[in-house]
Amino acid sequence: MLKTDVLIIGSGIAGLSTGIKLAMLRPDLKIDVLTKVNEHESNTSYAQGGVAAVWDHGTDTYEKHIADTLDAGAGLCDEHIVRIVVEEGPERVEEIIDWGTRFDLDQFQKYDLGREGGHSENRILHYKDLTGWEIQRALSAKAATLDNLIVHEHYFALDLLTQHHLGHIVTRLTENIECYGAYVLNKENWEISTIVARNTVLAAGGNGQIYRSTTNPVIATGDGIAMAYRAKVHLENMEFVQFHPTALYNPGLEKQAFLVSEAVRGFGAILKRPDGTEFMQEYDERGSLAPRDIVARAIDNEMKLTGAEFMCLDCTHLDKEKFIAHFPTIYEKCKEKGIDPMKDLIPVTPACHYMCGGVQVDEFGRSSVNQLYACGECTSTGLHGANRLASNSLLEALVFGHRIAHSIASNIDNSDLENQIPQWERTGTTEPKEQVLITQSIKELKEVMSSYVGIVRSDKRLKRAKDRLALLHDETEELYRNSLVSPQLCELRNLITVGYLVSKAASLRKESRGLHFTTDYPERADFVQYSVL
């Protein structure tokens, strides 16, 4: 049994910003951060666009940013939370600048503010088209300077510890469920440790790998949300999956689609059909700068109407020198694929990008389970509602990381370690002899989710998805019971759990709102409904 004061599961912007701030507030606390791969591999590292914050008070205001966020969220945002994030956000961005984060400057040595779909003003701070990578770099460097903060690489969190592990019956109706830490697999020596902590922070990132095409890295397998669900933590709004409208079209089966940032459209690129005609004005007066849900559905509809496998992004009228300066990675990737953005239309298709729902938390990141906090993409804070406004997610992670750190610093002295947790039971299990059972089940899951629970849904499609997922679940649970634990098997379990939760939440919402569109209920309902699971 390993003991720590605070266990943080995940080393992206949410986990590291929480850990850094807490380590600075309470040098007396021992803080351990786990990542299942290496410290730099997270969804954060692949965030191209930037971080939204009101910076130029001469043209922009908090009220404009709040209004843009509420408009994108389609009536499901919590305005109190939106105001907290927007108003506290700039100070949090100042902090990461102080910690070494670089953002692009213009010719006057002022921040070069970009604009993306749904924003009424230029307010996106960015570092070329590698903003997430730059923030991850700076946070990792800052974390390395703190003696009481340790990042452990190649540790896979298996399950959160609660009273269930003490032999008690725990259901979703049980009051005062407590979190005591987690069971963790060391991927280098295959030992399973029991880590008990006075407080635990879930910052395990996204779930994009439930779909065939996603901009998320291969590690985004929904581990945090699946663990929370098994621990009877309250979840909400799982049906709202954001598909980025413009991933680079690649007919191959890459596990991670290449993202063509929304900032490219903010820079002036125009969405067109393969024949060169524009189409976005037919769907929204904002054209190519409409919010992501509208653009993704428009592209999906155009592909179905025309039979095309992709739509196109026209950058040929843009200044080449400035384009390459702003988007060097995108330019090089296109050239690698034989596409010259200055001469050719860039073929794009929607791809799963971001989960707006997740672990239900309050304004201090507290979940429904005592001593368990959550931060980042695995949460539902009330900021995004039914559709995330571009570049708000990095801001959300910074603001809630700060708030969680202050909450833990003030309250952790009231928490004790639970020393009676039993070790992980490994008897009676064997090595899985056929890896194909795992890999094929993942392929089936991705096909089911992409075909039936994608950008456009229906009751019939959702029922078929749930029926197929139930079969996959039963097969995987039998394999899990009879096999030694492996990251691949656990990721499969987690992916199936998240796929089921998205499908179930989607079937409960009898309307179309934000990112959830169903042909059976194409109109938005007059009442506001939160889908709590």
Side-chain angles (χ1 to χ4, degrees), residues 194-347:
T194 305
I195 302 182
V196 293
R198 294 158 74 190
N199 279 176
T200 302
V201 181
L202 200 56
N207 322 279
Q209 289 295 328
I210 60 174
Y211 288 96
R212 185 174 55 237
S213 179
T214 176
T215 62
N216 290 188
V218 293
I219 61 170
T221 52
D223 307 322
I225 287 177
M227 282 193 295
Y229 183 71
R230 290 195 291 271
K232 313 302 186 239
V233 181
H234 293 172
L235 311 174
E236 71 176 2
N237 293 345
M238 288 293 294
E239 66 271 37
F240 298 118
V241 180
Q242 187 172 72
F243 286 79
H244 199 289
T246 55
L248 184 64
Y249 171 70
N250 187 350
L253 295 176
E254 291 184 351
K255 290 185 177 180
Q256 182 178 0
F258 182 79
L259 175 65
V260 180
S261 170
E262 192 161 348
V264 174
R265 283 181 282 129
F267 193 71
I270 299 170
L271 282 164
K272 294 184 176 180
R273 300 181 181 96
D275 64 8
T277 58
E278 292 186 41
F279 62 89
M280 274 308 304
Q281 292 292 349
E282 300 169 22
Y283 294 89
D284 192 281
E285 61 184 13
R286 290 165 287 190
S288 294
L289 280 175
R292 289 177 181 176
D293 59 326
I294 296 171
V295 178
R297 276 199 300 275
I299 292 175
D300 182 72
N301 190 54
E302 287 292 324
M303 288 165 59
K304 288 173 178 171
L305 287 174
T306 63
E309 293 186 356
F310 55 83
M311 289 292 110
C312 296
L313 204 53
D314 185 1
C315 304
T316 58
H317 57 289
L318 302 176
D319 183 280
K320 180 177 181 178
E321 196 171 301
K322 291 181 178 177
F323 183 89
I324 295 174
H326 277 81
F327 310 111
T329 313
I330 294 171
Y331 182 78
E332 287 302 321
K333 183 69 173 183
C334 288
K335 293 287 282 186
E336 180 188 309
K337 298 293 182 184
I339 302 161
D340 185 344
M342 301 296 99
K343 297 178 181 178
D344 309 317
L345 298 180
I346 302 174

Side-chain angles (χ1 to χ4, degrees), residues 2 34-36 152-158 183-195 426 485 487:
L2 306 176
L34 307 183
T35 173
K36 66 178 180 178
H152 304 270
E153 298 183 329
H154 307 293
Y155 277 82
F156 189 100
L158 300 173
Y183 285 127
V184 175
L185 172 68
N186 182 334
K187 292 168 64 177
E188 294 185 335
N189 62 17
W190 299 100
E191 289 185 359
I192 297 176
S193 299
T194 305
I195 302 182
R426 303 184 75 160
V485 168

Side-chain angles (χ1 to χ4, degrees), residues 444-486:
E444 288 181 39
L445 167 80
K446 289 172 177 280
E447 289 297 328
V448 167
M449 293 300 296
S450 300
S451 298
Y452 303 136
V453 202
I455 294 172
V456 177
R457 302 155 179 178
S458 69
D459 284 350
K460 189 170 289 186
R461 294 180 201 178
L462 292 172
K463 182 182 184 306
R464 181 165 291 190
K466 287 190 291 182
D467 289 346
R468 299 291 191 274
L469 290 173
L471 180 60
L472 277 173
H473 172 268
D474 291 345
E475 292 173 348
T476 302
E477 288 304 300
E478 181 183 2
L479 185 63
Y480 181 78
R481 282 192 297 271
N482 297 308
S483 303
L484 284 173
V485 168
S486 71

